Amino acid sequence: MASYWSKIEALASGGGGASSASGSSGAGVMVPGAGTKREHLYKILVIGELGTGKTSIIKRYVHQFFSQHYRATIGVDFALKVINWDADTIIRLQLWDIAGQERFGNMTRVYYKEAVGAFIVFDVTRSATFESVVKWKVDLDSKVQLPDGSPIPCVLLANKCDQQKEGIVNNPTKMEEYCKEKGFAGWYETSAKENINIEEAARFLVTKILKNDRLTGVDPSKDSERFALDGSGSGMNGNGVRGGNGRQEGKSCAC
Ligand SMILES: Nc1nc2c(ncn2[C@@H]2O[C@H](COP(=O)(O)OP(=O)(O)OP(=O)(O)O)[C@@H](O)[C@H]2O)c(=O)[nH]1
Ligand SMILES: [Mg+2]
């Protein structure tokens, strides 16, 4: 298993662990024939209890791949998703897949640094994983904030919705109230297995992040400087948020 630092080095040099290719980073990169493109690099955390499906969600989102086989993540893993957001904008999402077994440990402070958005994942078949959501949220908010001191936008993912659901997740009104009360930007039922709502949830989170970028007046050309790792390179072909799968089984709140 590669160490945290070797993964960091791999990503910084364009390896990216889960995805890699050559490319350029930073804002205002000239793309031949396409004029000047604005590029944003955003660090996104994916956290939550053991076995809730964090790695599976990322693998589905980045590689369109799912496996029933469970191999616990050790420490942290990374993936890079490139989104052709619109004609003028490319968004690189640096996804930090943090092991459930890290559970609010000291390393999470290091992992959370400079993140601008997060997903907290629970497993709809195990209500105990929902009960821990609030601990993850409190831990997150205590360790990372936006430059203006406000919490980073966080979306709650009720994963494995292809299976029998247990508890509050069966009551969307209560889920919406919960999200409002706990400061979630919204929630989605997702299934990494059936590819339900993952693209939608990512699009929603990115929209919130872009809004914050505008509000805080952060110069997008500084994006690449906000990270120790640059977002150079991606194996993705921009099949991301704009190409939704058209499935709307999951629910989301606008809280
Ligand atoms: N039915 C179903 N199974 C899923 C889904 N997502 C993940 N799984 C399964 O749940 C198990 C755990 O998934 P992982 O993605 O490894 O979970 P994780 O949150 O990354 O776990 P840690 O790395 O230990 O924190 C695996 O066996 C997956 O195949 C889903 O949407 N539906
Ligand atoms: Mg994992």
Side-chain angles (χ1 to χ4, degrees):
M1 188 71 194
S3 72
Y4 167 69
W5 294 112
S6 64
K7 284 176 191 168
I8 292 258
E9 277 161 20
L11 192 67
S13 65
S19 60
S20 67
S22 61
S24 46
S25 65
V29 171
M30 290 296 284
V31 175
T36 303
K37 290 225 178 196
R38 185 181 280 251
E39 293 201 15
H40 299 272
L41 173 63
Y42 293 134
K43 173 175 171 179
I44 310 283
L45 306 171
V46 185
I47 57 179
E49 288 292 277
L50 270 168
T52 51
K54 300 176 294 295
T55 302
S56 302
I57 287 169
I58 292 171
K59 286 210 166 128
R60 168 63 74 189
Y61 185 46
V62 174
H63 297 296
Q64 296 81 45
F65 167 83
F66 175 78
S67 162
Q68 296 278 2
H69 179 67
Y70 174 41
R71 218 178 86 200
T73 304
I74 311 290
V76 63
D77 231 319
F78 308 99
L80 192 66
K81 173 81 174 177
V82 179
I83 304 164
N84 288 314
W85 186 255
D86 60 31
D88 307 316
T89 318
I90 292 173
I91 291 175
R92 294 176 193 272
L93 297 183
Q94 195 183 75
L95 298 158
W96 285 54
D97 175 7
I98 294 165
Q101 63 188 9
E102 287 293 317
R103 293 200 91 195
F104 339 120
N106 284 336
M107 280 308 282
T108 57
R109 189 179 297 281
V110 177
Y111 298 154
Y112 293 177
K113 210 167 174 284
E114 309 280 9
V116 294
F119 290 112
I120 295 182
V121 184
F122 73 97
D123 176 345
V124 298
T125 70
R126 292 185 290 139
S127 55
T129 65
F130 176 75
E131 279 143 32
S132 297
V133 159
V134 68
K135 293 184 205 156
W136 285 98
K137 181 72 166 69
V138 168
D139 187 59
L140 177 75
D141 289 346
S142 71
K143 289 175 179 165
V144 62
Q145 293 87 33
L146 293 175
D148 68 356
S150 55
I152 65 171
C154 181
V155 174
L156 182 58
L157 300 184
N159 191 43
K160 307 195 189 179
C161 74
D162 55 283
Q163 294 194 320
Q164 184 77 34
K165 290 176 261 173
E166 201 181 76
I168 181 184
V169 70
N170 285 301
N171 186 334
T173 312
K174 283 208 167 135
M175 282 298 289
E176 275 158 40
E177 279 168 16
Y178 178 90
C179 281
K180 221 172 232 169
E181 193 187 310
K182 306 295 181 203
F184 284 96
W187 72 284
Y188 283 78
E189 283 187 353
T190 57
S191 168
K193 184 177 180 196
E194 302 294 335
N195 194 16
I196 297 170
N197 268 344
I198 294 170
E199 303 249 345
E200 288 80 355
R203 182 205 292 256
F204 178 76
L205 182 61
V206 169
T207 305
K208 296 279 169 197
I209 293 168
L210 283 168
K211 207 165 132 197
N212 284 336
D213 245 8
R214 269 178 237 124
L215 287 175
T216 55
V218 174
D219 178 355
S221 67
K222 299 281 190 296
D223 280 354
S224 59
E225 293 163 24
R226 292 213 298 259
F227 302 97
L229 322 175
D230 78 9
S232 57
S234 164
M236 261 57 61
N237 53 9
N239 62 337
V241 225
R242 298 191 65 76
N245 57 18
R247 301 185 67 160
Q248 296 293 335
E249 289 96 323
K251 300 159 194 77
S252 74
C253 69
C255 52

